[in-house]
């Protein structure tokens, strides 16, 4: 295997492991709220992720400047090390579970490390993948985001395989060892900084990039609603707990499948119009969810909502990278931060409106319509066909 192929393999493997690492704390929810283990209350467990969202946003906005100064290899390595510090420390916490008074504060700090590490890593990985496939940068980002999503679904699966919450320490332990091995290989690779990661000496954020930013904040609101409250929405529509859980899983499966298919087939056919119309397809499916909530179709509707949403976020990063090649790292950090702002606001606010879910869904239809309008505005005199 030549050096370039090894770099591609390790970069995409790190994307998968970044996703695995990112959701380690949510995956351990049963252990954290177990009275005989960590003993967190439900509200403490929810508040645990506030520093994570804040740190991700700050890291995503700061990463472009750091990559411009130090290069992608150093920033990515720092991001991974921060996540490793968090995961490794979590692993060792099983020796100190008797000190319950301090556990919540310690977990808050560790979650902040994970958020910062994730923000630095994912912001750097997007343009790094694009730089390895300059003629197919948008497709590379779609595949990378598919692997990140696959990683986020792996941690909960691993916890299910572990079974008893008392054995929770095997999850961070196995992840820590695996990521350390891959990181060591990565550190021996030679990755040039290159012009792809440089920012102009004096720059201002292009007007069109602000439009992308607004669109992705709205997208984050929709993703956060279904990703965090999808199960509640389905239960409100008449499904039981098991069916609601399946529906939520299929939502994320739809997102992952769309990203994979988009990354594969955009090499063969022009999918730019499909991308532009995706928000409208999401809006129509949500309307069907509202006006025709047949219990036999609800789970399928959740899958289709996820499927139509799949390419919107990574596709926007890829399109922005093609549109503003001299700002590729900035595009990644800017839009990653926008997504976290949208999801962070929704997950911390929507719980107060759990009795008004139909009204919430109506608002999501409006947001998706606005996103489609913004995309068609951005399409004018754009390079979207080069992206898809």
């Amino acid at each position: 295997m030549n050096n370039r192929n090894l770099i591609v393999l390790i970069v995409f493997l790190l994307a998968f492991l970044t996703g695995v690492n990112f959701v380690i704390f949510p995956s351990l929810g049963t252990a954290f709220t177990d009275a005989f283990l960590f003993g967190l209350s439900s509200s403490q467990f929810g508040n645990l992720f506030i520093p994570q969202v804040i740190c991700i946003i700050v890291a995503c906005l700061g990463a472009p400047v750091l990559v411009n100064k130090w290069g992608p290899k150093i920033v990515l390595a720092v991001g991974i090390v921060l996540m490793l510090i968090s995961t490794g420390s979590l692993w060792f916490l099983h020796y100190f579970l008797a000190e319950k008074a301090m556990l919540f504060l310690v977990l808050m700090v560790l979650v902040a490390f994970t958020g910062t590490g994730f923000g630095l890593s994912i912001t750097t990985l997007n343009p790094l993948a694009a730089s390895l496939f300059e003629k197919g940068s948008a497709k590379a980002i779609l595949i990378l985001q598919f692997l990140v999503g696959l990683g986020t679904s792996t941690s909960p699966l691993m916890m299910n395989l572990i079974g008893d919450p008392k054995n929770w320490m095997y999850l961070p332990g196995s992840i820590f060892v695996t990521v350390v091995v891959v990181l060591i290989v990565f550190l021996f690779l030679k990755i040039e900084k290159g012009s792809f990661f440089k920012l102009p000496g004096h720059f201002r954020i292009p007007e069109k990039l602000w439009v992308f930013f607004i669109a992705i904040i709205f997208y984050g609101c929709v993703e956060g609603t279904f990703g965090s409250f999808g199960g509640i929405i389905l239960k409100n529509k008449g499904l039981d707990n098991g069916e609601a859980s399946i529906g939520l899983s299929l939502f994320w499966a739809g997102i992952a499948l769309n990203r994979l298919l988009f990354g594969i087939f955009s090499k063969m056919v022009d999918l730019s119009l499909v991308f532009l119309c995706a928000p409208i397809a999401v809006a129509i499916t949500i309307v069907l969810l509202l006006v025709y909530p047949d219990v036999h179709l609800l789970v399928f509707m959740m899958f289709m909502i996820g499927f139509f949403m799949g390419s919107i976020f990574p596709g926007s990063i890829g399109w922005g990278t093609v549109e503003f090649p001299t700002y590729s790292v900035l595009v990644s950090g800017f839009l990653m931060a926008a997504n976290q702002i949208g999801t962070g606001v929704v997950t911390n606010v929507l719980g107060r409106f759990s009795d008004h879910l139909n009204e919430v869904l109506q608002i999501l239809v409006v947001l998706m319509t606005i996103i489609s309008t913004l995309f068609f505005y951005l399409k004018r005199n754009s390079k979207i066909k080069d992206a898809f």
Side-chain angles (χ1 to χ4, degrees):
M1 183 181 294
N2 64 39
N3 188 55
R4 182 185 180 279
N5 288 340
L6 181 59
I7 291 173
V8 170
L9 174 64
I10 295 299
V11 165
F12 282 92
L13 184 56
L14 284 174
F16 170 75
L17 292 173
T18 296
V20 173
N21 229 323
F22 177 55
V23 296
I24 189 170
F25 285 89
S27 301
L28 291 173
T30 53
F32 289 149
T33 54
D34 190 306
F36 298 102
L37 296 174
F38 288 84
L40 300 187
S41 66
S42 297
S43 60
Q44 283 180 314
F45 181 65
N47 292 335
L48 199 60
F49 301 101
I50 295 175
Q52 178 171 286
V53 172
I54 294 172
C55 288
I56 291 174
I57 293 170
V58 172
C60 287
L61 293 175
V65 178
L66 297 177
V67 172
N68 181 57
K69 184 177 181 180
W70 294 333
K73 184 176 181 179
I74 293 177
V75 176
L76 179 54
V78 169
I80 295 168
V81 167
L82 287 174
M83 286 191 289
L84 281 174
I85 291 172
S86 176
T87 306
S89 301
L90 180 61
W91 183 15
F92 282 105
L93 273 185
H94 72 278
Y95 292 113
F96 305 98
L97 291 184
E99 304 295 330
K100 284 186 168 51
M102 293 294 294
L103 281 178
F104 179 63
L105 180 60
V106 171
L107 290 174
M108 291 274 280
V109 173
L110 296 185
V111 166
F113 269 81
T114 297
T116 305
F118 177 79
L120 293 176
S121 300
I122 198 66
T123 302
T124 309
L125 280 166
N126 284 319
L128 184 55
S131 71
L132 296 172
F133 299 91
E134 291 191 34
K135 292 184 179 179
S137 56
K139 296 90 172 175
I141 291 172
L142 281 160
I143 297 295
L144 182 132
Q145 288 294 327
F146 160 73
L147 290 171
V148 173
L150 187 63
T152 59
S153 66
T154 300
S155 277
L157 178 61
M158 290 171 65
M159 192 58 196
N160 285 334
L161 292 175
I162 290 170
D164 194 333
K166 292 180 181 178
N167 298 323
W168 66 270
M169 73 289 297
Y170 294 118
L171 180 62
S174 57
I175 293 172
F176 179 84
V177 172
T178 304
V179 176
V180 165
V181 172
V182 178
L183 175 61
I184 291 172
V185 177
F186 173 73
L187 291 176
F188 281 98
L189 297 177
K190 185 178 181 181
I191 298 177
E192 301 290 344
K193 180 178 179 180
S195 58
F196 199 87
F197 301 97
K198 293 180 180 178
L199 292 173
H202 300 281
F203 68 91
R204 56 188 294 270
I205 297 173
E207 177 186 332
K208 280 191 172 183
L209 188 50
W210 281 111
V211 179
F212 273 112
F213 185 77
I214 294 168
I216 297 305
I217 287 179
F218 291 158
Y219 167 85
C221 291
V222 180
E223 182 188 276
T225 299
F226 285 107
S228 299
F229 295 90
I232 296 173
I233 292 171
L234 290 176
K235 286 171 65 177
N236 181 264
K237 296 293 181 182
L239 299 187
D240 61 31
N241 287 332
E243 292 168 329
S245 296
I246 292 172
L248 184 58
S249 297
L250 286 175
F251 167 75
W252 290 112
I255 285 180
L257 179 62
N258 180 282
R259 291 174 180 178
L260 178 62
L261 294 177
F262 229 89
I264 294 172
F265 288 103
S266 59
K267 298 178 181 179
M268 308 172 190
V269 293
D270 178 11
L271 294 178
S272 58
L273 185 59
V274 176
F275 173 80
L276 290 170
C277 293
I280 292 298
V282 176
I284 292 171
T285 312
I286 296 175
V287 170
L288 290 175
L289 192 68
L290 280 165
V291 302
Y292 192 66
D294 188 291
V295 292
H296 301 294
L297 293 176
L298 285 173
V299 170
F300 176 70
M301 288 180 184
M302 282 292 286
F303 172 78
M304 294 308 299
I305 289 171
F307 183 80
F308 291 133
M309 286 179 64
S311 62
I312 294 175
F313 173 52
S316 296
I317 296 176
W319 182 9
T321 299
V322 171
E323 203 70 40
F324 313 105
T326 56
Y327 293 89
S328 57
V329 186
L330 182 64
V331 169
S332 175
F334 210 52
L335 297 190
M336 284 297 304
N339 187 41
Q340 286 299 313
I341 290 171
T343 55
V345 168
V346 161
T347 52
N348 284 284
V349 171
L350 199 58
R352 303 172 189 176
F353 299 93
S354 56
D355 295 330
H356 304 279
L357 290 178
N358 280 347
E359 290 80 359
V360 170
L361 291 174
Q362 291 169 16
I363 293 172
L364 299 187
V365 171
V366 174
L367 292 183
M368 275 298 171
T369 305
I370 293 173
I371 292 171
S372 182
T373 303
L374 293 176
F375 279 172
F376 275 98
Y377 166 76
L378 290 168
K379 176 181 177 290
R380 300 181 305 169
N381 302 316
S382 73
K383 301 176 183 176
I384 187 171
K385 290 187 181 294
D386 295 335
F388 305 105

